[in-house]
Amino acid sequence: MSTKKRILFIANEMSPYLELTEFAEIVNKLAIKSNDAGLEVRCVMPRFGTINERRHRLHEVVRLSGINVSVDNDDYPLQIKVASLPNARLQVYFLDNEDFFKRKFVFSDEDEKWYDDNDLRTIFFCKGALETVKKFGWPPDVIHCSGWMTALVPLYLKTVYKKEPVFAHSKVIYTLGSDTFEEKLSDDFAKRALIHVSLKEKDLENYKDATNYALQRGAASYADAISFGAENIDKKLVDEFSKVKGKKVIPFKGWDTDLTEYLELYNDLASK
C-alpha cells in the first residue's frame, strides 16, 4: 500500500487548460512541484466549454461517470473526463455537465452578461468534486482549493462530508484571490447551497451575500489554512485573515516565489 501523502487540487482554473488569473499558472506549478516532491497528486476542475478536448486530449472516465448530483431539488448527471498534465505524470479530472458547462464562454455570455445560473454551477461543481473523490475511493490528506467557484468545498468538508471515511483525515487550504466579478450569484444562493439536512442556514452566514467577497470569506472561515494568491485582494479579507488564531497563513510573495512554503504546509497538514 502506498505511504505517499495525497494532495488534491480543486480549482476554477489551471494552466494550460484555462487561464483567467495569474494563479492558474501557480496551480500548475504547485501540482508539478508536489508531484516531483513525492506527493501523490490529483487535480479537479470544471470542463468549461472553452477547454479544447482534442488539443488537451481529454477522454471520458466511464467507470466514474454516471453519478447524479442533486442541486436545488433537481438531479444533474455528472460526466468525468481526464487528461494528463503536460510534462508531468499526474492526472487532471474535468467535471462536465451539458446544462452547466457546454457553453462558449466561462461565466458571462458573448455580451458580457453574467450567467443567471452561476450559483447552481458553483454548487454543482463543489458537490460534484467531493462526490467524484468518494467514487475514486482516494482519501486525500490535503485538499487545496483556489478560485471563488470552489468556495463551498471547505464548508461541505467540515459539515456534510466530515463523517465520510474518504475525508476523515483531510485538511483543507483555501487560497484567497482578487475580486474577479462584481455581480452577485443570486439572492437564493445560501438556501440553494443547503445540500443536506445537516446543513443549517447559520452555517452559510458568511456566504449569504453571494458576492466575490462573501464567497471567499466563507471559504477562508472554514479552511484549516489560508494563502493569499494575488496582490490586490480585498483589504477587508487581508485584515481579517492575515493572522488567524489556529490557522497557518501563507502571505502573497509575488509570482516568482519557489513555492517551497506551500510544500512545507502540505507536509505539515498531512502529518496532523
Side-chain angles (χ1 to χ4, degrees), residues 13 20-27 29-30 175-178 227-233 251-259 262:
E13 53 174 330
L20 300 172
T21 72
E22 289 174 302
F23 203 74
E25 182 64 29
I26 300 297
V27 179
K29 289 179 178 177
L30 280 170
T175 292
L176 292 154
S178 54
S227 76
F228 289 88
E231 198 168 14
N232 56 335
I233 293 170
F252 180 70
K253 295 178 180 175
W255 301 112
D256 55 352
T257 176
D258 68 359
L259 305 176
Y262 279 93

Side-chain angles (χ1 to χ4, degrees), residues 188-253:
D188 295 325
F189 175 65
K191 288 185 178 178
R192 288 173 172 171
L194 296 170
I195 59 170
H196 192 269
V197 290
S198 63
L199 266 182
K200 308 300 179 190
E201 285 195 44
K202 64 179 176 58
D203 297 323
L204 282 112
E205 183 65 27
N206 286 342
Y207 294 87
K208 68 180 183 181
D209 287 344
T211 59
N212 194 307
Y213 168 78
L215 287 169
Q216 298 206 68
R217 183 168 184 249
S221 67
Y222 280 101
D224 297 296
I226 301 158
S227 76
F228 289 88
E231 198 168 14
N232 56 335
I233 293 170
D234 190 300
K235 186 178 183 302
K236 288 184 289 184
L237 291 173
V238 175
D239 291 345
E240 183 172 356
F241 292 107
S242 287
K243 291 183 180 178
V244 184
K245 190 175 180 181
K247 294 188 186 189
K248 170 73 174 176
V249 178
I250 297 180
F252 180 70
K253 295 178 180 175

